[in-house]
Amino acid sequence: VSRIDLIPGGDKRRVLWEEREAYVEAAVRVRLSECDAEIEAIKSGFTTVVPALVLPLLTWRDLEAKVCGTPIVDVDLLKKMTEHNLPRKEKHPVAIMFWQIVGGMQNSDRAALLAFASGRRRLPSHNSGGHFKIELLHGRGDEALPEAHTCFFTIVLPHYSSTRVMRDKLLYAIHNCSVIDKDFTARGGALYDPEDDYPPPNASQPAAAKRSGVDAQGNEG
């Protein structure tokens, strides 16, 4: 633990009552500047990629969108970057039901879907993050939950009997399996974000079958 004197010899004397405001101002000034070296290093690295002269032309929201992507999940963009690894491709009943469900979701549910499939809650800007893949979980039906291979931005869906069953299973999985969602971790690991529109299901349900490329039996995918 390092110590910084707010005034010369400050570690050898107490703060007087009449000095309290000057003490607070000095303490705030030091705390606000204690990461200057790290921030300067980030700035130096950032401006090797983005010219410094361009930054004043952007608002912080513009910059956030370019670096992180927009928080609004564009379903049409997601469709364009999707590979349907299914018989009959996007005309397969599983794909048709999936897009009907995603099209009717709230944005918070779509963000949770992305987190389940990729570990992040936003689509990459300029479609630069590869292809979203939909695959069929063979031999499983209404009893099974969706699986995800986050390293490959892939979701694996059983051949559900109806849109209602798929919606219930999908919503349960995306809101209860967030182990490698970096945004989830940064929020403190709460399973339920108050801003989400879908309430947390009861705890008696089984956990989602796969995340981070490892299934319930420990097999890597």
Side-chain angles (χ1 to χ4, degrees):
V1 177
S2 61
R3 293 187 175 217
I4 298 175
D5 288 346
L6 301 181
I7 61 173
D11 61 331
K12 297 181 175 62
R13 53 172 295 228
R14 293 181 176 275
V15 178
L16 301 177
W17 176 254
E18 58 269 21
E19 297 174 326
R20 65 190 185 281
E21 293 183 0
Y23 168 79
V24 170
E25 290 176 1
V28 170
R29 185 167 58 251
V30 168
R31 292 305 302 269
L32 291 179
S33 63
E34 63 186 1
C35 295
D36 282 357
E38 292 81 0
I39 292 173
E40 191 60 34
I42 293 172
K43 178 182 176 182
S44 176
F46 189 80
T47 52
T48 63
V49 179
V50 181
L53 292 175
V54 174
L55 293 179
L57 303 177
L58 304 173
T59 67
W60 69 268
R61 290 189 182 278
D62 294 332
L63 184 60
E64 178 191 36
K66 290 183 179 298
V67 173
C68 305
T70 174
I72 304 301
V73 180
D74 185 333
V75 177
D76 290 333
L77 175 59
L78 184 59
K79 280 185 178 181
K80 288 179 182 178
M81 58 187 294
T82 297
E83 292 180 9
H84 297 84
N85 297 332
L86 306 165
R88 299 171 58 196
K89 303 296 182 179
E90 67 273 11
K91 295 182 180 179
H92 191 280
V94 166
I96 293 173
M97 287 191 292
F98 176 80
W99 290 116
Q100 286 177 345
I101 293 166
V102 174
M105 281 180 171
Q106 306 254 2
N107 189 70
S108 56
D109 292 328
R110 294 172 185 164
L113 172 64
L114 289 183
F116 178 72
S118 70
R120 54 175 292 171
R121 300 176 70 86
R122 300 186 183 195
L123 287 174
S125 59
H126 308 299
N127 192 13
S128 59
H131 291 283
F132 175 49
K133 301 176 184 67
I134 301 175
E135 298 180 352
L136 191 63
L137 184 59
H138 295 284
R140 305 297 297 275
D142 290 354
E143 79 287 352
L145 287 164
E147 299 180 359
H149 304 283
T150 51
C151 295
F152 304 103
F153 198 6
T154 300
I155 189 167
V156 188
L157 298 168
H159 200 322
Y160 293 116
S161 61
S162 68
T163 302
R164 182 189 61 79
V165 173
M166 180 185 286
R167 182 180 185 277
D168 289 346
K169 296 290 187 179
L170 188 60
L171 286 174
Y172 182 84
I174 65 179
H175 285 291
N176 286 273
C177 191
S178 307
V179 290
I180 78 160
D181 175 359
K182 296 305 182 186
D183 297 321
F184 167 89
T185 304
R187 289 196 305 272
L191 277 176
Y192 176 59
D193 186 335
E195 294 182 357
D196 285 344
D197 304 298
Y198 187 75
N202 63 63
S204 63
Q205 292 283 345
K210 183 187 297 184
R211 283 306 307 273
S212 188
V214 180
D215 63 20
Q217 286 75 40
N219 301 314
E220 294 186 359

